[in-house]
Amino acid sequence: MRGSAFFGRPALSLLTMSLIACGPPALGPGDSDDGHETSSTTVTPDLPSTDTEADTEADTADDEDEAGFVPDYARPVPPCDPFEQDCPEGEKCVAYAAGQWWDSNKCVPVLGSQAVGEPCTYGGPEEATDNCDATSGCWNVEEIEGEWSGTCHAFCTGSDDDPMCAEGSQCLISSDPVVVFCIPTCDPLVQDCDEGLGCYWASNDFSCILTQDDIPAGQACGYINDCSPGLICVDGLALPSCEDAACCTPYCELMAGDAQCDAIPGTSCLPFFEQGLELPGYELVGLCIVDEP
């Protein structure tokens, strides 16, 4: 796996570095980040009662609480470490939606034996169970007619400061960290990912991620995987006609000229990386943007 240093150039600083969208909009990180609503459950306490029978029942409930009987909704979910995988035998540490979009970790039972790269079924962001084996979890998931499915991805090993994955993949880390999956790296000019996935810049490398909305060039985007494969979500200031905070624009090959940028008139094929900081093998990767945004 490549190191954790962030490579960039002035153009790269214009990328929309928002969260990866891997589910329905309702599972987004909340109105403060992306305008999507986030549902939650609120437990409303009982109002005081003057009824003797009701008071007696309340007193009994208090006695049960003191004896160690706590309502299910109040039971905290024990945390776990996705790098350490420190759950009891027969369980694994996965990301789940405690209140927002994959914002916490918990132990869930290992329910299957699907290996890395094989298709998987998923219990949804709140339940977060799957039929992957103990060393992997279901990711790049999508919901179709109420059924969740995805592909088994290996958990990263090491630590947040020094994540490790097998050759040909990088550790996707998000939410401090909650999601820690090894995802395949790819070539943005070739778009050599499996069907339904695009080659997007994530963390510190190009990686195969589920395409969320298939947005065409020049149209508004919010997540790094909103755009169609072969496109990237950049700050609107990097494009001459983007009327939104960010829009999709094509990748291009530096040696092939500006004709690759005809989809966004007024742009040129400029280097993705700052000179001297190119990732090995990606020296010719460019973006269709304005010369001086």
Side-chain angles (χ1 to χ4, degrees):
M1 189 198 79
R2 295 187 176 94
S4 58
F6 181 84
F7 294 89
R9 45 153 278 121
L12 187 57
S13 67
L14 296 171
L15 298 187
T16 299
M17 305 307 291
S18 53
L19 297 175
I20 297 169
C22 289
L27 296 173
D31 294 341
S32 62
D33 291 331
D34 63 0
H36 299 320
E37 295 180 358
T38 303
S39 61
S40 61
T41 301
T42 302
V43 178
T44 304
D46 293 333
L47 297 175
S49 172
T50 56
D51 184 81
T52 303
E53 182 177 353
D55 289 344
T56 300
E57 292 175 354
D59 291 341
T60 301
D62 289 341
D63 291 340
E64 289 179 344
D65 287 348
E66 292 176 0
F69 295 94
V70 181
D72 287 343
Y73 63 75
R75 294 185 185 277
V77 175
C80 58
D81 187 323
F83 283 105
E84 295 293 333
Q85 287 296 318
D86 52 354
C87 295
E89 185 176 356
E91 298 182 3
K92 59 185 177 181
C93 185
V94 300
Y96 80 108
Q100 295 184 343
W101 195 25
W102 286 293
D103 57 354
S104 299
N105 293 107
K106 68 176 179 179
C107 296
V108 298
V110 177
L111 300 178
S113 58
Q114 293 291 93
V116 172
E118 295 182 341
C120 53
T121 56
Y122 187 58
E126 294 182 2
E127 180 182 319
T129 56
D130 58 50
N131 64 341
C132 299
D133 62 21
T135 66
S136 62
C138 202
W139 190 240
N140 275 332
V141 294
E142 57 183 338
E143 183 183 28
I144 300 176
E145 297 182 352
E147 298 293 328
W148 289 81
S149 61
T151 304
C152 294
H153 287 68
F155 297 121
C156 307
T157 57
S159 67
D160 186 18
D161 294 329
D162 185 23
M164 293 182 287
C165 287
E167 185 69 26
S169 63
Q170 71 147 334
C171 185
L172 177 67
I173 302 177
S174 68
S175 304
D176 297 327
V178 171
V179 176
V180 290
F181 284 118
C182 295
I183 53 178
T185 53
C186 53
D187 187 331
L189 300 178
V190 178
Q191 290 294 318
D192 49 347
C193 297
D194 291 339
E195 183 178 357
L197 307 180
C199 186
Y200 300 99
W201 178 263
S203 296
N204 64 322
D205 210 333
F206 296 104
S207 302
C208 293
I209 298 171
L210 183 73
T211 298
Q212 180 71 8
D213 286 328
D214 214 24
I215 295 173
Q219 299 300 306
C221 53
Y223 290 106
I224 62 175
N225 58 332
D226 274 347
C227 303
S228 296
L231 306 180
I232 185 170
C233 190
V234 299
D235 192 301
L237 296 175
L239 302 176
S241 58
C242 179
E243 298 180 356
D244 294 272
C247 289
C248 299
T249 196
Y251 289 105
C252 56
E253 184 179 344
L254 293 178
M255 301 299 291
D258 293 340
Q260 304 166 91
C261 300
D262 288 349
I264 309 288
T267 62
S268 302
C269 185
L270 299 177
F272 185 90
F273 297 101
E274 184 177 350
Q275 186 175 5
L277 296 178
E278 301 90 348
L279 285 181
Y282 299 134
E283 293 86 354
L284 296 182
V285 175
L287 293 176
C288 293
I289 54 176
V290 296
D291 195 2
E292 294 183 359

